[in-house]
Amino acid sequence: MAIIELVDLRAGYDGQLALKGVNLEIDQGEILSLIGPNGAGKTTLLKTIGGLISPSSGSLVFRDTDITDTNREILRENATLVFQNPVHFGTTVYKNVAYGLRIRGVDESDVDKRVKETLELLGLSGFESRNARKLSGGEQRRVSLARAVAIDSSILLLDEPGADLDLESKRIVEETLRSLSKDRGTTVVMATHDMFQAKTLASRIATVQDGQIERIGRASTVFRLELESRIGDHPVLNRFRAQAVWIESDWTKGGHLRLRLEGGLTLEATGHRDGDVTIIIPPEDIIISRQAVLSSARNSLKGSVINIEASNSSVLLTVDVGIELVAQITEDSLKRLKIEKGDEVFVTFKASSVTVY
Amino acid sequence: MTLASEIVEITLRSLFVSGFAAFIATLIGLPIGVLVGLRKFRGRPLVKGVFNGMMAMPTVALGLILYLLFSQTGPLGFLQLLYSPYAIIVGQAILVVPIMVSITTETIENVDPSIRELALTLGADESGARAAVLRESIGGILLASSASFSRAISELGVALMLGGNIVGLTRILTTAIALETARGEVALGIGLAVVLLVVMLVINVSLRLAEKRVRWWLWQ
Amino acid sequence: MKRERKTLAAIFVVCIVGITTGVVIYTGQTLGKSLLTVSTTTSLFDTGVLDTLKTEYEASHPDIILAFISAGTGIAITHAKNGDADLILVHSPSHEKAFMDEGFGVNRKILAYNFFTIVGPSEDPANISGVDASTALSRIYDYGQSLNSSIWVTRDDNSGTNSKEKQLWAAAGFDYETIKEADWLVSSGTGMGATLRMATELELYTLSDIGTYLKFFADGLIDLQQLVVPSESLLNVYSAIAVNASRVEGARFNLAMDFIAWLVDSSAQETIGNFGLEDYGQALFLPAVGVIESQTSNEIYGWIRSYAFFDYDGTLYECPPPWREGDYGLYQS
């Protein structure tokens, strides 16, 4: 379920639009990563979601309520932005972290409890009475995060949370974000330059280019595409051309796609497209089995192994199922399944694993 | 009256007169400065420019204008303020209000704009965000007050024209310095100037020392 | 949190208490007392004689506060015209006459006199030692013309002293406005003290009132000698004039007349005559009341009469009859 929905949203400062028609649905509890170059509009997007910038056109839906024109304060109450450069009130760490709670009129004893918990979570116990502005860079970033975490907002917006972090702080920040998303169902949206951080933390990645969402999809896929477009001639695995047909169906509310590939092969994917498309199937999303398996995954194909290539700790299998699909499995799995070149295997992957663009 | 007790008396009177003036200037100038600093309105550069320019008001000219107002035959003569400490207080307050406003405005404008957004994103409403910005400006506001006080206590023109340098009633440090200098009592003149400087140093250093504490206090 | 709010409140309270204390003290100082405002010239005020008189007067009149406001002669008189003074103490007969002619002042009383003096470097390059003022100025003029470098400093500020200087140059046969352009004349544009110090630094001659000169000389601030002999043309006469209450609203005429009567009295006259004797070895002011009352045909009385008395219907008066208000026994004729 989408907690926030942006439809053709335009926003900016001083009449200069930084967002030029953004369509974005953010799901409750997901970690969404925004990647893109400086000036692409990531920060503006975060501030708009956080209710700090008013959209100039388009609509903004929060929990199924259109709040474009009214009651946008609800965003400031429910979403908290952690700024790129650490900004603190000129006071102690404790008072900085307690600020949001006190604003909300939380009981002093509860404030104390929450602040201490949060500081502990972020490895800041003992820093209570320190001047927030006189801490190291990593500690300051953790204070920034602690301030937001203490409030327990449903949406956490982070602007470059990984920038210039020492390893220890980075580990703490990432662990915190994971546990917030997993345990508290906090929705996390983070803008980052760091594609690897985006990939390890996020469930989805959206690339932002010139004020618009360029592509959005599963983290691994978008990561791969991004990597490809950055590396240039480096080949992307499992990329194919296909004809897409949208089908109304009962197993997914928004309908699904039937993809017809060269050679008559048919695959299923999620989304809402028609016509010529390019698809990518992430090798790590493909399951290899000796026998056909009954599973929830919509795509299951039979083929023969035509190549086995070992890289560091994993193995890439190329399977001919009419098209040549590359699957990534562990060395251990390879041994367990006793797969050799020429063997017949089944490949299985979910419709949602297929990125269509 | 001995010389020492006279110097003490003059010093205390200076502190009273200029302290009162700075207090009034703070009461008037702080809200104006806060308003100009926080609100964006048309003609704001003009307002700021006027207050900045008014800081250059020559004290003698202000003293003369106010003298004409407070004079028995002037429009405010009925108040019977001329040649009383209150005339000096009013004059000095008018003199330093532009300083109070200008420094306050400048300080508030120089607060990191992110502070406002930080307060907002943490759930503060507009007035809460303004309060946060003001708390960050406390150092500058203290500076504005102390600069106003310093300007008031060190000015001569207004005190001379409106107070008349009357022994025991309106003689303050600067008018006493001017008088002793004219009388050729150079040593006494310099001595009084030293007293003025020492008093101001003590006050300003303690204010600076207190600043951090005040900022700390302002955070509930 | 409460403690901190309390601290802020405490700072505020301290301010209020301080201000209130000041107000209470000032009110206590002035409550039940009348303020008698005397507008006077700086050269008289700066000698300190008025402080001595104030102490004595307030001691015998505990319900009066004497407030001296000092400014240049012109502004001092303007204060009185504006109703901001009850009495003027000045030393410029021409200004005084105009003031009374316009109806602002009544009951003029000459209190004291002394002599201006021409002072200069002890080497005395223009050789004016022991001569009278006119001769001295002629010699300075000649010497200056021949020298073509600075020799005389003038205040050029329309003060009483400056007025006197103009008269002296005119009496010696020179036009002040013309010689002001000469290279040997410097304009200081400032007070007497500063002008005397300038004269010391640059080794110049100048005209000075005796009070400022003696004070600065005794304090070692200047190194100039009195060079000319006292003469009629150097006479300086101080008078008190009460502000006319029927012309200027709010003027405290009765208080002013009480003070004038006290100044005329022999004990105040004695105080004036003794002022500075101890410190400078020379009196700064000479009492005038006795001299005028005795009407002795001595030289000084004649000088005062011709310099500071006003002509009315062909007779010279200290204060012509139309400008007398009430009977305070101040005048014999």
Side-chain angles (χ1 to χ4, degrees):
Chain A
M1 176 199 145
I3 185 164
I4 282 205
E5 206 180 329
L6 282 63
V7 182
D8 195 28
L9 195 98
R10 285 157 209 272
Y13 309 90
D14 307 323
Q16 199 131 34
L17 282 187
L19 299 182
K20 302 165 183 168
V22 171
N23 290 296
L24 181 62
E25 269 183 47
I26 300 166
D27 292 333
Q28 170 87 54
E30 77 166 323
I31 300 184
L32 173 67
S33 216
L34 304 173
I35 59 176
N38 280 331
K42 302 191 299 287
T43 301
T44 313
L45 184 53
L46 289 178
K47 285 187 174 176
T48 310
I49 298 171
L52 295 175
I53 293 181
S54 322
S56 43
S57 72
S59 61
L60 197 53
V61 179
F62 176 75
R63 286 191 174 135
D64 296 331
T65 314
D66 190 313
I67 53 162
T68 315
D69 301 315
T70 53
N71 199 24
R72 233 175 314 96
E73 306 80 63
I74 199 165
L75 285 179
R76 296 211 294 259
E77 282 157 26
N78 287 282
T80 307
L81 174 60
V82 177
F83 296 91
Q84 176 170 7
N85 298 315
V87 195
H88 308 291
F89 300 120
T91 180
T92 58
V93 169
Y94 185 94
K95 285 174 181 173
N96 263 280
V97 176
Y99 182 85
L101 296 168
R102 286 176 171 161
I103 283 275
R104 286 166 172 72
V106 175
D107 247 28
E108 245 349 84
S109 60
D110 291 339
V111 168
D112 192 61
K113 199 168 133 257
R114 287 280 286 285
V115 171
K116 295 221 161 110
E117 276 172 16
T118 311
L119 289 179
E120 198 180 335
L121 183 68
L122 283 154
L124 288 168
S125 293
F127 283 70
E128 285 86 347
S129 54
R130 298 271 296 274
N131 183 341
R133 287 177 179 167
K134 291 192 173 151
L135 301 176
S136 77
E139 288 159 354
Q140 290 204 31
R141 282 178 180 280
R142 280 188 272 154
V143 171
S144 300
L145 185 56
R147 227 170 9 217
V149 169
I151 307 168
D152 203 6
S153 337
S154 26
I155 305 172
L156 195 53
L157 307 163
L158 302 115
D159 202 351
E160 301 288 351
D164 328 312
L165 272 190
D166 54 283
L167 280 178
E168 169 72 354
S169 295
K170 192 166 180 163
R171 189 186 61 75
I172 293 173
V173 167
E174 289 180 355
E175 266 175 26
T176 308
L177 293 180
R178 259 193 217 101
S179 82
L180 285 176
S181 164
K182 210 173 112 212
D183 305 338
R184 297 194 197 170
T186 308
T187 308
V188 178
V189 183
M190 55 182 218
T192 182
H193 275 104
D194 182 351
M195 285 176 32
F196 292 93
Q197 188 184 40
K199 191 193 162 208
T200 41
L201 273 179
S203 40
R204 287 200 302 158
I205 295 179
T207 62
V208 184
Q209 189 68 260
D210 194 26
Q212 288 182 314
I213 303 287
E214 196 183 41
R215 55 172 78 103
I216 181 162
R218 290 179 45 83
S220 50
T221 312
V222 178
F223 174 75
R224 194 164 279 279
L225 284 170
E226 276 299 300
L227 212 54
E228 174 219 6
S229 64
R230 284 177 203 196
I231 295 167
D233 54 0
H234 188 278
V236 170
L237 301 168
N238 298 344
R239 184 167 64 168
F240 310 100
R241 314 268 321 147
Q243 278 285 121
V245 180
W246 182 73
I247 296 162
E248 230 172 323
S249 64
D250 43 24
W251 61 268
T252 158
K253 209 176 161 190
H256 74 279
L257 290 180
R258 178 146 301 149
L259 303 165
R260 204 171 297 279
L261 282 76
E262 279 172 59
L265 192 69
T266 304
L267 295 176
E268 288 188 6
T270 55
H272 194 155
R273 293 288 294 267
D274 266 314
D276 287 333
V277 293
T278 303
I279 62 164
I280 290 177
I281 306 154
E284 59 270 38
D285 286 359
I286 297 176
I287 296 164
I288 299 287
S289 56
R290 277 294 192 178
Q291 273 126 31
V293 288
L294 191 63
S295 74
S296 62
R298 306 292 294 194
N299 298 301
S300 192
L301 303 162
K302 188 182 171 193
S304 58
V305 176
I306 56 173
N307 191 28
I308 301 176
E309 187 186 314
S311 64
N312 288 340
S313 58
S314 62
V315 177
L316 294 179
L317 292 182
T318 312
V319 184
D320 184 356
V321 293
I323 52 172
E324 290 183 4
L325 272 183
V326 177
Q328 184 184 30
I329 59 172
T330 58
E331 238 172 301
D332 184 57
S333 304
L334 186 75
K335 279 180 194 154
R336 207 154 34 77
L337 292 171
K338 294 184 181 125
I339 293 171
E340 285 180 9
K341 217 166 157 178
D343 286 359
E344 290 270 303
V345 292
F346 289 85
V347 295
T348 307
F349 51 92
K350 294 166 118 183
S352 61
S353 290
V354 182
T355 299
V356 181
Y357 65 99
Chain B
M1 196 184 288
T2 66
L3 187 65
S5 68
E6 196 173 333
I7 290 174
V8 169
E9 186 207 302
I10 291 173
T11 308
L12 288 178
R13 185 175 301 111
S14 257
L15 290 173
F16 159 63
V17 166
S18 301
F20 200 162
F23 186 77
I24 294 175
T26 303
L27 288 186
I28 298 171
L30 185 59
I32 299 177
V34 167
L35 220 65
V36 178
L38 285 179
R39 306 247 181 197
K40 311 276 176 253
F41 53 88
R42 273 180 51 166
R44 189 161 161 278
L46 183 77
V47 173
K48 276 176 65 186
V50 166
F51 278 112
N52 288 167
M54 294 272 283
M55 289 199 288
M57 170 65 92
T59 60
V60 177
L62 180 65
L64 181 62
I65 293 165
L66 291 176
Y67 166 73
L68 293 174
L69 285 178
F70 288 147
S71 171
Q72 199 65 237
T73 50
L76 297 178
F78 67 93
L79 292 174
Q80 300 279 336
L81 284 181
L82 196 66
Y83 303 139
S84 79
Y86 305 123
I88 311 179
I89 290 163
V90 171
Q92 290 186 343
I94 292 173
L95 180 74
V96 301
V97 159
I99 296 176
M100 190 67 213
V101 172
S102 297
I103 300 183
T104 305
T105 304
E106 203 59 28
T107 307
I108 290 174
E109 283 182 349
N110 283 336
V111 169
D112 186 344
S114 309
I115 288 288
R116 190 178 158 273
E117 291 195 324
L118 177 59
L120 286 176
T121 199
L122 291 174
D125 54 11
E126 276 298 331
S127 64
R130 287 201 187 109
V133 170
L134 282 187
R135 270 184 286 224
E136 296 300 321
S137 322
I138 190 65
I141 291 171
L142 272 179
L143 173 70
S145 274
S146 69
S148 300
F149 180 62
S150 300
R151 172 81 171 126
I153 205 168
S154 61
E155 75 79 34
L156 171 66
V158 168
L160 207 52
M161 302 274 298
L162 299 181
N165 193 22
I166 301 168
V167 185
L169 292 185
T170 60
R171 182 163 299 173
I172 59 172
L173 282 168
T174 50
T175 57
I177 291 169
L179 176 67
E180 298 308 340
T181 307
R183 281 182 172 175
E185 301 281 359
V186 176
L188 188 51
I190 290 174
L192 286 166
V194 169
V195 169
L196 177 61
L197 277 177
V198 167
V199 167
M200 291 317 289
L201 282 175
V202 167
I203 289 175
N204 279 287
V205 169
S206 0
L207 263 182
R208 286 292 127 187
L209 290 178
E211 180 200 328
K212 199 175 146 195
R213 211 158 287 198
V214 171
R215 196 208 296 275
W216 234 241
W217 281 332
L218 285 175
W219 281 95
Q220 18 165 328
Chain C
M1 166 175 166
K2 276 185 183 159
R3 179 180 57 101
E4 289 134 7
R5 290 249 164 104
K6 271 184 193 162
T7 315
L8 273 180
I11 294 171
F12 192 78
V13 167
V14 166
C15 285
I16 297 290
V17 166
I19 288 168
T20 314
T21 310
V23 171
V24 166
I25 288 176
Y26 175 73
T27 311
Q29 272 181 310
T30 51
L31 198 69
K33 293 191 179 187
S34 306
L35 197 70
L36 178 64
T37 312
V38 182
S39 186
T40 184
T41 61
T42 39
S43 62
L44 178 56
F45 185 66
D46 289 352
T47 59
V49 67
L50 298 181
D51 290 342
T52 311
L53 291 172
K54 174 183 161 79
T55 310
E56 288 188 10
Y57 187 70
E58 286 178 355
S60 57
H61 298 74
D63 53 344
I64 302 285
I65 297 175
L66 259 187
F68 292 104
I69 311 296
S70 75
T73 304
I75 295 177
I77 288 176
T78 308
H79 280 160
K81 287 183 181 174
N82 286 345
D84 300 325
D86 307 309
L87 182 75
I88 62 171
L89 274 178
V90 289
H91 60 130
S92 179
S94 58
H95 281 111
E96 292 162 35
K97 185 156 190 301
F99 182 65
M100 293 170 76
D101 272 341
E102 292 168 44
F104 288 109
V106 290
N107 294 354
R108 173 180 189 255
K109 193 67 197 164
I110 292 172
L111 299 174
Y113 69 95
N114 58 19
F115 293 93
F116 283 102
T117 180
I118 292 174
V119 296
S122 46
E123 297 78 29
D124 189 17
N127 192 25
I128 61 167
S129 182
V131 302
D132 66 27
S134 286
T135 317
L137 288 183
S138 297
R139 288 187 188 175
I140 284 167
Y141 178 86
D142 292 341
Y143 183 71
Q145 293 293 58
S146 70
L147 193 68
N148 256 343
S149 75
S150 311
I151 185 71
W152 178 266
V153 55
T154 177
R155 284 173 59 180
D156 196 22
D157 60 353
N158 276 324
S159 58
T161 308
N162 187 232
S163 308
K164 190 71 180 181
E165 186 188 334
K166 290 174 190 171
Q167 289 166 20
L168 288 173
W169 282 113
F174 303 102
D175 176 31
Y176 177 75
E177 296 304 322
T178 312
I179 59 168
K180 222 167 72 178
E181 306 302 320
D183 289 339
W184 51 268
L185 192 137
V186 184
S187 255
S188 72
T190 162
M192 198 66 249
T195 303
L196 285 170
R197 301 185 76 162
M198 191 187 230
T200 300
E201 298 298 327
L202 303 176
E203 300 197 332
L204 306 173
Y205 291 96
T206 194
L207 179 73
S208 173
D209 68 278
I210 193 76
T212 313
Y213 168 76
L214 283 178
K215 168 94 176 141
F216 275 59
F217 188 77
D219 289 347
L221 296 168
I222 53 170
D223 183 25
L224 300 166
Q225 301 298 318
Q226 296 184 62
L227 296 164
V228 295
V229 291
S231 63
E232 186 179 0
S233 60
L234 291 171
L235 186 67
N236 186 21
V237 173
Y238 297 89
S239 5
I241 304 175
V243 173
N244 186 357
S246 53
R247 171 71 199 260
V248 179
E249 204 181 323
R252 280 152 288 203
F253 180 73
N254 291 334
L255 294 182
M257 288 318 298
D258 274 352
F259 183 53
I260 290 179
W262 182 83
L263 283 170
V264 167
D265 191 72
S266 59
S267 75
Q269 285 286 302
E270 199 177 318
T271 304
I272 293 172
N274 288 335
F275 183 77
L277 265 180
E278 204 173 307
D279 290 333
Y280 315 120
Q282 184 178 341
L284 265 52
F285 303 95
L286 301 162
V289 175
V291 175
I292 294 169
E293 269 176 8
S294 65
Q295 293 195 1
T296 46
S297 50
N298 74 11
E299 205 178 30
I300 298 290
Y301 175 69
W303 288 356
I304 292 177
R305 204 164 173 280
S306 63
Y307 171 64
F309 274 32
F310 298 146
D311 178 72
Y312 178 75
D313 274 354
T315 315
L316 287 172
Y317 293 97
E318 181 182 11
C319 181
W323 298 337
R324 296 178 188 173
E325 185 73 43
D327 184 15
Y328 295 89
L330 292 174
Y331 313 104
Q332 286 161 331
S333 61

